[in-house]
């Protein structure tokens, strides 16, 4: 087996992907390199078989295995999202039929999953699409997000839910194509309803904020 070919494919793929991301301004996470993981593993395995004496091979495999187990343990225990905290707060305080706006929609799948597991009877509305919170439509994402006016969006939602419905906003800023939008929603909801409470959940890769806006009758 000529591992030089596999090494070239792995390296070339990484260079090509990194180059395209750099030119287009795309995001990058280490998991994106998983596409070349099989090639890298084969190259590493072949390299280990060339080591001499045998105890060196065994030592390298043992050390590598220990590092892999440690990495898996760290990744399994790393909290990436505060969706559980948001769901727990809603479970404790939200009423039946309350509306929970999720901004941006990228937070929707995680929040929907844990809310469903806790059987919290609320309606999740992702911003800006107002569709199924379990999915994110990435087609023409930036263009569609930029085309939405937060003022009109909030006005339409409040007209739809009515004055007697409590509204919550689960949000996090700094997402690309949403700069200032989620903060604008919070300001608009507060202007229309007043704010009853605000919570910030930190300590995860993706922190969440949860704001409560009371019904007009009790505001």
């Amino acid at each position: 087996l000529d591992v030089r070919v596999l090494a070239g494919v792995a390296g070339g793929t990484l260079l090509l992907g990194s180059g395209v991301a750099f030119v287009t301004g795309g995001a990058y996470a280490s998991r994106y390199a998983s596409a070349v993981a099989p090639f890298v593993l084969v190259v590493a395995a072949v390299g280990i078989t060339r080591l001499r004496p045998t105890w060196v091979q065994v030592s390298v495999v043992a050390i590598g295995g220990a590092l892999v187990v440690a990495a898996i343990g760290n990744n399994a225990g790393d909290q990436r999202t505060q969706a559980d905290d948001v769901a727990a707060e809603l479970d404790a305080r939200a009423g039946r039929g309350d509306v929970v706006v999720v901004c941006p929609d990228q937070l929707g799948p995680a929040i929907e999953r844990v809310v469903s597991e806790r059987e919290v009877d609320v309606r999740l509305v992702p911003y800006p699409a107002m569709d199924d919170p379990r999915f994110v439509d990435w087609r023409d994402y930036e263009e569609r997000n930029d085309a939405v006016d937060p003022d009109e969006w909030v006005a339409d939602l409040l007209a739809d839910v009515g004055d007697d419905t409590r509204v919550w906003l689960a949000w996090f800023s700094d997402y690309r194509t949403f700069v200032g939008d989620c903060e604008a929603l919070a300001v608009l909801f507060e202007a229309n309803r007043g704010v009853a409470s605000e919570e910030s959940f930190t300590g995860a890769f993706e922190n969440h904020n949860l704001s409560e806006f009371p019904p007009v009758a009790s505001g």
Side-chain angles (χ1 to χ4, degrees):
L1 175 64
D2 189 349
V3 295
R4 290 174 296 184
V5 175
L6 294 181
V9 171
T13 301
L14 286 177
L15 287 174
L16 178 61
S18 300
V20 171
F22 177 78
V23 172
T24 60
Y28 175 78
S30 57
R31 64 181 180 272
Y32 298 165
S34 61
V36 301
F39 302 111
V40 173
L41 291 175
V42 171
V43 172
V46 173
I48 291 173
T49 63
R50 307 288 172 82
L51 298 174
R52 294 294 185 272
T54 303
W55 69 265
V56 176
Q57 298 179 16
V58 175
S59 298
V60 170
V61 171
I63 293 173
L67 292 175
V68 168
V69 171
I72 291 174
N74 179 71
N75 190 60
D78 185 27
Q79 187 174 8
R80 292 181 51 81
T81 172
Q82 301 293 152
D84 285 327
D85 294 323
V86 170
E89 193 73 11
L90 292 172
D91 193 11
R93 299 174 51 204
R96 183 174 183 178
D98 283 5
V99 170
V100 181
V101 175
V102 181
C103 182
D105 53 1
Q106 298 174 43
L107 303 180
I111 293 179
E112 194 281 334
R113 175 178 56 80
V114 292
V115 164
S116 296
E117 289 174 352
R118 289 175 173 268
E119 298 183 349
V120 184
D121 190 7
V122 295
R123 172 191 169 195
L124 295 182
V125 181
Y127 176 87
M130 287 189 176
D131 53 11
D132 194 330
R134 297 175 299 172
F135 306 100
V136 178
D137 185 357
W138 297 106
R139 295 172 297 178
D140 301 321
Y141 193 65
E142 181 174 4
E143 291 78 4
R144 288 188 292 108
N145 292 339
D146 290 343
V148 176
D149 183 347
D151 291 84
E152 294 181 2
W153 195 93
V154 168
D156 290 342
L157 178 75
L158 293 179
D160 177 60
V161 303
D163 291 342
D164 297 330
T165 301
R166 185 178 305 274
V167 177
W168 303 77
L169 176 63
W171 63 280
F172 181 58
S173 60
D174 297 334
Y175 275 78
R176 294 184 61 180
T177 78
F178 286 95
V179 177
D181 286 353
C182 300
E183 292 89 339
L185 294 186
V187 171
L188 290 166
F189 280 127
E190 182 175 357
N192 283 274
R193 293 291 188 88
V195 60
S197 67
E198 292 181 323
E199 299 285 344
S200 294
F201 306 103
T202 61
F205 176 73
E206 292 180 344
N207 300 323
H208 288 25
N209 302 295
L210 181 65
S211 302
E212 176 191 0
F213 306 98
V216 171
S218 62

